[in-house]
Amino acid sequence: MNGGDTKGCDSTSTWQAIGSAIRQNSPKQLITFHPFGRMQASEWFHNEDWLDFNMFQSGHRRYDQDTDVPYHGEDNWKYAADDYAKIPVKPTLDGEPSYEGIPQGLHDTTQPFWTDSDCRRYAYWSVFAGGCGFTYGNNAIMQFHKKGDENPAYGSKEYWEPALNAPGAIQMKYLKQLILSKSYFDRIPAQDLIADEQGEKYDYLSAAKGSDYAFVYTYTGRIMNINLEKMDVSEVKASWYNPRNGSYTEIGTFEAKGIKSFDPPGEKTNGNDWVLVLEND
């Protein structure tokens, strides 16, 4: 990982020299660049031969805290979509989203702390938008906060060993299980599946599909109107996937024609997140 939470426009020649030196001396080593908060490596190094995959840092701010234009703030899917649209296409991922157990905005410990539901939202949004993976972060683990430490950074409220089993950490495996349950390399972003408004901020729907399946993620449990004809199959089996525990709830099998409405379980609220799974039946 070249760089170190920094802007590629600062000391650019240094980062170029480091990237080239690693590539020359370790030709099989995967290399990326760790950019500053709410920035992306592709802004400076996308076309460099030494950069194998892009990384962006969506950072730790809420929407109302991120007033700098043109930053995307919590809409981390926008960074993934932007990288995915670049030529040549290179893998990309959110290498530093909001950490579980860290203050919203990072520095003011009187602010609310990011939770497991926020981590899930960042993960599914960015992967469905074209990300090749996702980096989970935890405040206590990041600094190895242990008993006896004085003045832990960013108001850490737990020790790193129990934090290994924090809810968000455990739930990351369910995203991996879902993605690897289908073909990986033909998965592409598929916002055209969404027949009405994609939604803004927390109401945003993120969609991806492969040759015979599709995923649509909602963070709020909102109703989805899906254009089944974009599946290019004759019938689809639909089910709900629970990002909190990895379980499936079958909905039914439908002819893949026209627009169909799907209403997730529970009431519409932040953190009532679900993935609509559509499979060729």
Side-chain angles (χ1 to χ4, degrees):
M1 185 176 288
N2 194 358
D5 204 345
T6 190
K7 299 176 182 178
C9 55
D10 294 341
S11 305
T12 303
S13 60
T14 299
W15 313 127
Q16 293 282 27
I18 291 173
S20 298
I22 297 173
R23 172 60 68 237
Q24 180 179 352
N25 291 278
S26 186
K28 295 183 178 181
Q29 180 68 52
L30 287 173
I31 308 173
T32 190
F33 181 88
H34 187 316
F36 192 67
R38 295 162 303 287
M39 292 185 174
Q40 52 207 112
S42 60
E43 180 178 347
W44 310 286
F45 305 117
H46 180 78
N47 292 313
E48 298 301 326
D49 291 338
W50 55 262
L51 188 88
D52 294 304
F53 66 98
N54 284 306
M55 170 181 164
F56 56 92
Q57 180 189 167
S58 59
H60 307 273
R61 294 184 185 180
R62 292 192 311 264
Y63 286 116
D64 63 310
Q65 295 170 329
D66 204 3
T67 57
D68 300 322
V69 178
Y71 299 146
H72 301 312
E74 291 187 67
D75 285 341
N76 76 330
W77 61 268
K78 292 181 178 178
Y79 295 102
D82 183 69
D83 278 351
Y84 188 82
K86 285 181 167 61
I87 301 298
V89 178
K90 289 186 175 181
T92 188
L93 57 78
D94 193 345
E96 188 175 337
S98 298
Y99 291 171
E100 187 170 12
I102 211 166
Q104 296 178 9
L106 193 60
H107 300 290
D108 183 355
T109 58
T110 66
Q111 292 292 316
F113 282 43
W114 294 111
T115 68
D116 58 312
S117 65
D118 300 301
C119 295
R120 296 194 306 271
R121 172 169 50 85
Y122 283 118
Y124 284 83
W125 270 0
S126 60
V127 170
F128 285 11
C132 65
F134 179 76
T135 301
Y136 165 83
N138 184 288
N139 188 11
I141 298 171
M142 174 269 294
Q143 59 187 290
F144 290 100
H145 181 206
K146 63 184 183 302
K147 187 176 182 179
D149 286 348
E150 297 182 2
N151 301 317
Y154 309 113
S156 178
K157 296 180 178 180
E158 61 181 336
Y159 300 134
W160 75 268
E161 288 179 299
L164 292 172
N165 292 310
I170 297 298
Q171 292 158 3
M172 289 300 103
K173 68 183 179 184
Y174 302 128
L175 172 58
K176 179 179 179 179
Q177 288 175 6
L178 177 65
I179 293 299
L180 296 185
S181 70
K182 305 297 180 186
S183 54
Y184 179 91
F185 289 106
D186 64 351
R187 188 185 82 252
I188 60 172
Q191 293 303 112
D192 61 342
L193 285 167
I194 300 166
D196 56 2
E197 293 295 324
Q198 297 181 12
E200 296 182 351
K201 296 185 176 179
Y202 293 155
D203 264 345
Y204 179 72
L205 298 177
S206 186
K209 69 178 181 180
S211 60
D212 60 355
Y213 70 92
F215 302 139
V216 186
Y217 174 80
T218 170
Y219 175 64
T220 60
R222 58 169 281 198
I223 294 174
M224 309 176 182
N225 291 315
I226 304 300
N227 187 344
L228 296 180
E229 294 183 8
K230 297 295 184 179
M231 288 283 295
D232 296 324
V233 297
S234 58
E235 283 190 331
V236 293
K237 181 177 73 173
S239 58
W240 293 114
Y241 183 76
N242 189 332
R244 295 168 294 283
N245 59 25
S247 64
Y248 287 88
T249 301
E250 188 170 323
I251 301 172
T253 300
F254 310 95
E255 189 176 9
K257 286 188 176 181
I259 296 170
K260 183 167 180 59
S261 182
F262 295 91
D263 188 1
E267 298 297 320
K268 181 179 180 294
T269 186
N270 293 347
N272 181 35
D273 52 337
W274 295 89
V275 178
L276 175 66
V277 178
L278 301 172
E279 305 168 274
N280 185 20
D281 190 50

